[in-house]
Amino acid sequence: MRLYRLSHDSLRFPAPASAFHEPNGLLAFGGDLSPERLLMAYQSGIFPWYSPGDAILWWSPDPRAVLYPQEFHISRSLKRFSRHCPYRISLNQAFPEVLAMCADRGTQGTWIGPDVAQAYNRLHTLGYAHSVEAWDGDELVGGMYGVAQGALFCGESMFSRRDNASKIALLTFCRFFRQQGGKLIDCQVLNSHTASLGARDIPRRDFLALLSQLLPLTLAPDCWQPQTLSAVTLNSDLNHCE
């Protein structure tokens, strides 16, 4: 099996089914991070992920990690914390700052290099990439960003500088997203953190089938306008306590 090289003259991607089994989901390399190519990738169930300075790598893993908003798992400790939560949660009020803080991982390293930051800031300006922010007073203490495609939100990265800040941001977003007509959050690859919040693996073929159904759907008007989101309310549909 040979790795597919993308042409700068075409936005065409190979079929996700042709991705490598090891490393899981590696599909292609090259191309660029233009808005057109990035959007084509997300619409095809593909995303970029590579180290700064390396060639752009494109992935479509099998299985695929997803989170249904109504399945967000609220631990007992998070439920207790949410009763006296000090954070204000907002949408699209500090996208560049959220992206920068997601990239700032100290000695752990990051895949969010300057070219990636520029590309996603451009997607945000065009209205496709969005951020959720958690504030403690005027200080940004947690958040996440991703790309919206129909009734699907493709989560890219999250960060937390205070206890439970990113969890409360995601919990609040799940409730808001579902109210606006959102159906699914793409988590890409399952890890212990996202699994603890309710994400689970599904076969890639099922994800691609869902993708084709969700892309044509539209959310509520003005859904992505900068705004303060409602305070966390633990409704029965978001109350999976352990």
Side-chain angles (χ1 to χ4, degrees), residues 132-174:
V132 182
E133 303 92 16
W135 305 86
D136 189 351
D138 293 329
E139 184 180 1
L140 182 62
V141 297
M144 54 180 275
Y145 78 93
V147 177
Q149 293 285 281
L152 172 72
F153 185 78
C154 304
E156 282 296 321
S157 187
M158 58 198 310
F159 79 96
S160 189
R161 298 290 188 271
R162 295 282 192 282
D163 288 346
N164 295 315
S166 62
K167 293 180 181 179
I168 292 293
L170 180 56
L171 169 58
T172 306
F173 176 73
C174 281

CSV table of all heavy atoms in Angstrom, one decimal, residues 132-174:
chain,number,residue,atom,x,y,z
A,132,VAL,N,-15.5,27.8,21.9
A,132,VAL,CA,-16.3,27.9,23.2
A,132,VAL,C,-15.3,28.3,24.3
A,132,VAL,O,-14.3,27.7,24.4
A,132,VAL,CB,-17.0,26.6,23.5
A,132,VAL,CG1,-17.8,26.7,24.8
A,132,VAL,CG2,-17.9,26.1,22.3
A,133,GLU,N,-15.7,29.3,25.1
A,133,GLU,CA,-14.8,29.8,26.1
A,133,GLU,C,-15.4,29.7,27.5
A,133,GLU,O,-16.6,29.9,27.7
A,133,GLU,CB,-14.5,31.3,25.8
A,133,GLU,CG,-14.0,31.7,24.4
A,133,GLU,CD,-15.0,32.0,23.4
A,133,GLU,OE1,-16.2,32.3,23.8
A,133,GLU,OE2,-14.7,31.9,22.2
A,134,ALA,N,-14.5,29.4,28.4
A,134,ALA,CA,-14.8,29.4,29.8
A,134,ALA,C,-14.1,30.6,30.5
A,134,ALA,O,-12.8,30.6,30.4
A,134,ALA,CB,-14.5,28.1,30.5
A,135,TRP,N,-14.8,31.5,31.2
A,135,TRP,CA,-14.2,32.6,31.8
A,135,TRP,C,-14.3,32.6,33.3
A,135,TRP,O,-15.4,32.2,33.8
A,135,TRP,CB,-14.8,33.9,31.3
A,135,TRP,CG,-14.8,34.1,29.8
A,135,TRP,CD1,-15.8,33.6,28.9
A,135,TRP,CD2,-13.9,34.8,29.0
A,135,TRP,NE1,-15.4,34.0,27.6
A,135,TRP,CE2,-14.3,34.7,27.7
A,135,TRP,CE3,-12.7,35.5,29.3
A,135,TRP,CZ2,-13.6,35.3,26.6
A,135,TRP,CZ3,-12.0,36.0,28.3
A,135,TRP,CH2,-12.4,35.9,27.0
A,136,ASP,N,-13.3,33.0,34.0
A,136,ASP,CA,-13.3,33.2,35.5
A,136,ASP,C,-13.1,34.7,35.6
A,136,ASP,O,-12.0,35.2,35.6
A,136,ASP,CB,-12.3,32.4,36.2
A,136,ASP,CG,-12.4,32.4,37.7
A,136,ASP,OD1,-13.3,33.2,38.2
A,136,ASP,OD2,-11.7,31.7,38.4
A,137,GLY,N,-14.2,35.4,35.8
A,137,GLY,CA,-14.1,36.9,35.7
A,137,GLY,C,-13.7,37.3,34.3
A,137,GLY,O,-14.4,36.9,33.3
A,138,ASP,N,-12.7,38.0,34.1
A,138,ASP,CA,-12.2,38.4,32.8
A,138,ASP,C,-11.1,37.5,32.3
A,138,ASP,O,-10.5,37.8,31.2
A,138,ASP,CB,-11.7,39.9,32.8
A,138,ASP,CG,-12.8,40.8,33.1
A,138,ASP,OD1,-14.0,40.6,32.7
A,138,ASP,OD2,-12.6,41.9,33.7
A,139,GLU,N,-10.8,36.4,33.0
A,139,GLU,CA,-9.7,35.6,32.6
A,139,GLU,C,-10.2,34.3,31.8
A,139,GLU,O,-11.1,33.7,32.3
A,139,GLU,CB,-8.9,35.1,33.8
A,139,GLU,CG,-7.7,34.3,33.5
A,139,GLU,CD,-6.9,33.8,34.7
A,139,GLU,OE1,-7.3,34.2,35.8
A,139,GLU,OE2,-5.9,33.1,34.5
A,140,LEU,N,-9.6,34.1,30.7
A,140,LEU,CA,-9.9,32.9,29.9
A,140,LEU,C,-9.2,31.7,30.5
A,140,LEU,O,-8.0,31.6,30.6
A,140,LEU,CB,-9.5,33.1,28.4
A,140,LEU,CG,-9.8,32.0,27.4
A,140,LEU,CD1,-11.3,31.8,27.3
A,140,LEU,CD2,-9.1,32.3,26.1
A,141,VAL,N,-10.0,30.7,31.0
A,141,VAL,CA,-9.5,29.6,31.8
A,141,VAL,C,-9.7,28.3,31.2
A,141,VAL,O,-9.2,27.2,31.7
A,141,VAL,CB,-10.0,29.6,33.2
A,141,VAL,CG1,-9.6,30.9,34.0
A,141,VAL,CG2,-11.5,29.5,33.3
A,142,GLY,N,-10.5,28.2,30.1
A,142,GLY,CA,-10.7,26.9,29.4
A,142,GLY,C,-11.5,27.2,28.1
A,142,GLY,O,-12.0,28.2,27.9
A,143,GLY,N,-11.5,26.1,27.3
A,143,GLY,CA,-12.3,26.2,26.1
A,143,GLY,C,-12.0,25.2,25.1
A,143,GLY,O,-11.2,24.3,25.3
A,144,MET,N,-12.5,25.3,23.9
A,144,MET,CA,-12.4,24.3,22.8
A,144,MET,C,-12.7,25.0,21.5
A,144,MET,O,-13.3,26.1,21.5
A,144,MET,CB,-13.3,23.2,23.0
A,144,MET,CG,-14.8,23.6,23.1
A,144,MET,SD,-15.9,22.2,23.4
A,144,MET,CE,-16.2,21.8,21.6
A,145,TYR,N,-12.2,24.4,20.4
A,145,TYR,CA,-12.5,25.0,19.1
A,145,TYR,C,-12.7,23.8,18.1
A,145,TYR,O,-12.3,22.7,18.4
A,145,TYR,CB,-11.5,26.0,18.6
A,145,TYR,CG,-10.3,25.3,18.0
A,145,TYR,CD1,-10.1,25.1,16.6
A,145,TYR,CD2,-9.2,25.0,18.8
A,145,TYR,CE1,-9.0,24.5,16.1
A,145,TYR,CE2,-8.0,24.4,18.3
A,145,TYR,CZ,-7.9,24.2,17.0
A,145,TYR,OH,-6.8,23.6,16.4
A,146,GLY,N,-13.4,24.1,17.0
A,146,GLY,CA,-13.7,23.1,16.0
A,146,GLY,C,-14.3,23.7,14.8
A,146,GLY,O,-14.5,24.9,14.7
A,147,VAL,N,-14.8,22.8,13.9
A,147,VAL,CA,-15.3,23.2,12.6
A,147,VAL,C,-16.8,22.7,12.5
A,147,VAL,O,-17.0,21.5,12.7
A,147,VAL,CB,-14.5,22.7,11.5
A,147,VAL,CG1,-15.1,23.0,10.1
A,147,VAL,CG2,-13.0,23.2,11.6
A,148,ALA,N,-17.7,23.5,12.2
A,148,ALA,CA,-19.1,23.1,12.0
A,148,ALA,C,-19.4,22.7,10.6
A,148,ALA,O,-18.9,23.4,9.6
A,148,ALA,CB,-20.0,24.3,12.4
A,149,GLN,N,-20.0,21.6,10.4
A,149,GLN,CA,-20.4,21.1,9.1
A,149,GLN,C,-21.9,20.6,9.2
A,149,GLN,O,-22.1,19.5,9.7
A,149,GLN,CB,-19.5,20.0,8.7
A,149,GLN,CG,-18.1,20.4,8.4
A,149,GLN,CD,-18.0,21.2,7.1
A,149,GLN,OE1,-17.9,20.6,6.0
A,149,GLN,NE2,-17.9,22.5,7.2
A,150,GLY,N,-22.8,21.4,8.8
A,150,GLY,CA,-24.2,21.0,8.9
A,150,GLY,C,-24.6,20.8,10.4
A,150,GLY,O,-24.3,21.7,11.2
A,151,ALA,N,-25.1,19.6,10.8
A,151,ALA,CA,-25.5,19.3,12.2
A,151,ALA,C,-24.4,18.6,12.9
A,151,ALA,O,-24.6,17.9,13.9
A,151,ALA,CB,-26.8,18.5,12.2
A,152,LEU,N,-23.1,18.6,12.3
A,152,LEU,CA,-22.0,18.0,12.9
A,152,LEU,C,-21.0,19.1,13.4
A,152,LEU,O,-20.8,20.0,12.6
A,152,LEU,CB,-21.3,17.1,11.9
A,152,LEU,CG,-19.9,16.5,12.3
A,152,LEU,CD1,-20.1,15.4,13.4
A,152,LEU,CD2,-19.2,15.9,11.1
A,153,PHE,N,-20.4,18.9,14.6
A,153,PHE,CA,-19.3,19.7,15.0
A,153,PHE,C,-18.1,18.9,15.1
A,153,PHE,O,-18.1,17.9,15.9
A,153,PHE,CB,-19.7,20.4,16.3
A,153,PHE,CG,-18.6,21.4,16.8
A,153,PHE,CD1,-18.6,22.7,16.2
A,153,PHE,CD2,-17.7,21.1,17.7
A,153,PHE,CE1,-17.7,23.6,16.6
A,153,PHE,CE2,-16.7,22.0,18.1
A,153,PHE,CZ,-16.7,23.3,17.6
A,154,CYS,N,-17.0,19.3,14.4
A,154,CYS,CA,-15.8,18.5,14.4
A,154,CYS,C,-14.8,19.2,15.4
A,154,CYS,O,-14.2,20.2,15.1
A,154,CYS,CB,-15.2,18.6,13.0
A,154,CYS,SG,-16.3,17.9,11.7
A,155,GLY,N,-14.8,18.6,16.6
A,155,GLY,CA,-13.9,19.1,17.6
A,155,GLY,C,-12.4,18.9,17.3
A,155,GLY,O,-12.0,17.9,16.8
A,156,GLU,N,-11.6,20.0,17.5
A,156,GLU,CA,-10.2,19.9,17.2
A,156,GLU,C,-9.3,19.9,18.4
A,156,GLU,O,-8.4,19.1,18.5
A,156,GLU,CB,-9.9,21.1,16.3
A,156,GLU,CG,-10.3,21.0,14.9
A,156,GLU,CD,-9.5,19.8,14.2
A,156,GLU,OE1,-8.3,19.6,14.4
A,156,GLU,OE2,-10.2,19.1,13.4
A,157,SER,N,-9.6,20.7,19.4
A,157,SER,CA,-8.7,20.7,20.5
A,157,SER,C,-9.4,21.5,21.7
A,157,SER,O,-10.3,22.3,21.4
A,157,SER,CB,-7.4,21.4,20.2
A,157,SER,OG,-6.4,21.3,21.3
A,158,MET,N,-9.0,21.2,22.9
A,158,MET,CA,-9.5,21.9,24.1
A,158,MET,C,-8.4,22.1,25.1
A,158,MET,O,-7.3,21.4,25.0
A,158,MET,CB,-10.7,21.1,24.7
A,158,MET,CG,-10.4,19.7,25.1
A,158,MET,SD,-11.9,18.7,25.3
A,158,MET,CE,-12.9,19.7,26.3
A,159,PHE,N,-8.6,23.0,26.0
A,159,PHE,CA,-7.6,23.3,27.0
A,159,PHE,C,-8.3,23.7,28.3
A,159,PHE,O,-9.5,24.1,28.3
A,159,PHE,CB,-6.7,24.4,26.6
A,159,PHE,CG,-7.3,25.8,26.8
A,159,PHE,CD1,-7.0,26.6,27.9
A,159,PHE,CD2,-8.1,26.4,25.8
A,159,PHE,CE1,-7.6,27.8,28.1
A,159,PHE,CE2,-8.7,27.6,26.0
A,159,PHE,CZ,-8.4,28.3,27.1
A,160,SER,N,-7.6,23.6,29.4
A,160,SER,CA,-8.2,23.9,30.7
A,160,SER,C,-7.0,24.5,31.6
A,160,SER,O,-6.0,23.9,31.7
A,160,SER,CB,-8.8,22.7,31.4
A,160,SER,OG,-9.5,23.1,32.5
A,161,ARG,N,-7.3,25.6,32.2
A,161,ARG,CA,-6.3,26.3,33.1
A,161,ARG,C,-6.9,26.3,34.6
A,161,ARG,O,-6.3,26.8,35.5
A,161,ARG,CB,-6.0,27.7,32.7
A,161,ARG,CG,-5.3,27.7,31.3
A,161,ARG,CD,-3.9,27.2,31.4
A,161,ARG,NE,-3.2,27.4,30.1
A,161,ARG,CZ,-3.2,26.6,29.1
A,161,ARG,NH1,-3.8,25.4,29.2
A,161,ARG,NH2,-2.5,26.9,28.0
A,162,ARG,N,-8.1,25.8,34.7
A,162,ARG,CA,-8.8,25.8,36.1
A,162,ARG,C,-9.5,24.4,36.1
A,162,ARG,O,-9.9,23.8,35.1
A,162,ARG,CB,-9.8,26.9,36.3
A,162,ARG,CG,-9.2,28.3,36.3
A,162,ARG,CD,-8.5,28.6,37.7
A,162,ARG,NE,-8.2,30.0,37.8
A,162,ARG,CZ,-7.2,30.6,37.2
A,162,ARG,NH1,-6.3,29.9,36.5
A,162,ARG,NH2,-7.0,31.9,37.3
A,163,ASP,N,-9.8,24.0,37.3
A,163,ASP,CA,-10.5,22.8,37.5
A,163,ASP,C,-11.8,22.7,36.7
A,163,ASP,O,-12.7,23.7,36.9
A,163,ASP,CB,-10.9,22.6,39.0
A,163,ASP,CG,-9.6,22.2,39.9
A,163,ASP,OD1,-8.6,21.9,39.2
A,163,ASP,OD2,-9.7,22.3,41.1
A,164,ASN,N,-12.0,21.7,35.9
A,164,ASN,CA,-13.2,21.4,35.2
A,164,ASN,C,-13.6,22.5,34.2
A,164,ASN,O,-14.7,22.4,33.7
A,164,ASN,CB,-14.4,21.2,36.2
A,164,ASN,CG,-14.2,20.0,37.1
A,164,ASN,OD1,-13.9,19.0,36.6
A,164,ASN,ND2,-14.5,20.2,38.4
A,165,ALA,N,-12.7,23.4,33.8
A,165,ALA,CA,-13.1,24.5,32.9
A,165,ALA,C,-13.5,24.0,31.6
A,165,ALA,O,-14.5,24.4,31.0
A,165,ALA,CB,-12.0,25.5,32.8
A,166,SER,N,-12.7,23.1,31.0
A,166,SER,CA,-13.0,22.6,29.6
A,166,SER,C,-14.2,21.7,29.7
A,166,SER,O,-15.0,21.6,28.7
A,166,SER,CB,-11.8,21.9,29.0
A,166,SER,OG,-11.4,20.7,29.8
A,167,LYS,N,-14.4,20.9,30.8
A,167,LYS,CA,-15.6,20.0,30.9
A,167,LYS,C,-16.9,20.8,31.0
A,167,LYS,O,-17.8,20.5,30.3
A,167,LYS,CB,-15.4,19.1,32.2
A,167,LYS,CG,-14.3,18.1,32.1
A,167,LYS,CD,-14.2,17.3,33.4
A,167,LYS,CE,-13.1,16.3,33.4
A,167,LYS,NZ,-13.0,15.5,34.6
A,168,ILE,N,-16.9,21.9,31.7
A,168,ILE,CA,-18.1,22.7,31.8
A,168,ILE,C,-18.3,23.4,30.5
A,168,ILE,O,-19.5,23.5,30.1
A,168,ILE,CB,-17.9,23.8,32.9
A,168,ILE,CG1,-17.9,23.1,34.3
A,168,ILE,CG2,-19.0,24.8,32.9
A,168,ILE,CD1,-19.2,22.5,34.7
A,169,ALA,N,-17.3,23.8,29.8
A,169,ALA,CA,-17.4,24.4,28.5
A,169,ALA,C,-18.1,23.4,27.5
A,169,ALA,O,-19.0,23.8,26.8
A,169,ALA,CB,-16.1,24.9,27.9
A,170,LEU,N,-17.6,22.2,27.5
A,170,LEU,CA,-18.1,21.2,26.6
A,170,LEU,C,-19.5,20.8,27.0
A,170,LEU,O,-20.4,20.6,26.1
A,170,LEU,CB,-17.2,19.9,26.6
A,170,LEU,CG,-17.7,18.8,25.7
A,170,LEU,CD1,-17.9,19.2,24.3
A,170,LEU,CD2,-16.7,17.6,25.8
A,171,LEU,N,-19.8,20.6,28.3
A,171,LEU,CA,-21.1,20.3,28.8
A,171,LEU,C,-22.1,21.4,28.3
A,171,LEU,O,-23.2,21.1,27.8
A,171,LEU,CB,-21.1,20.2,30.3
A,171,LEU,CG,-22.5,20.1,31.0
A,171,LEU,CD1,-23.3,18.9,30.5
A,171,LEU,CD2,-22.3,20.0,32.5
A,172,THR,N,-21.8,22.6,28.5
A,172,THR,CA,-22.7,23.7,28.1
A,172,THR,C,-22.9,23.7,26.6
A,172,THR,O,-24.0,24.0,26.1
A,172,THR,CB,-22.1,25.1,28.6
A,172,THR,OG1,-21.8,25.0,30.0
A,172,THR,CG2,-23.1,26.2,28.3
A,173,PHE,N,-21.8,23.5,25.9
A,173,PHE,CA,-21.9,23.5,24.4
A,173,PHE,C,-22.8,22.3,24.0
A,173,PHE,O,-23.6,22.5,23.0
A,173,PHE,CB,-20.5,23.4,23.8
A,173,PHE,CG,-20.6,23.2,22.3
A,173,PHE,CD1,-20.9,24.3,21.5
A,173,PHE,CD2,-20.3,22.0,21.7
A,173,PHE,CE1,-21.0,24.2,20.1
A,173,PHE,CE2,-20.4,21.9,20.3
A,173,PHE,CZ,-20.7,23.0,19.5
A,174,CYS,N,-22.7,21.2,24.6
A,174,CYS,CA,-23.5,20.0,24.2
A,174,CYS,C,-25.0,20.4,24.3
A,174,CYS,O,-25.8,20.1,23.4
A,174,CYS,CB,-23.2,18.8,25.0
A,174,CYS,SG,-21.7,17.9,24.6
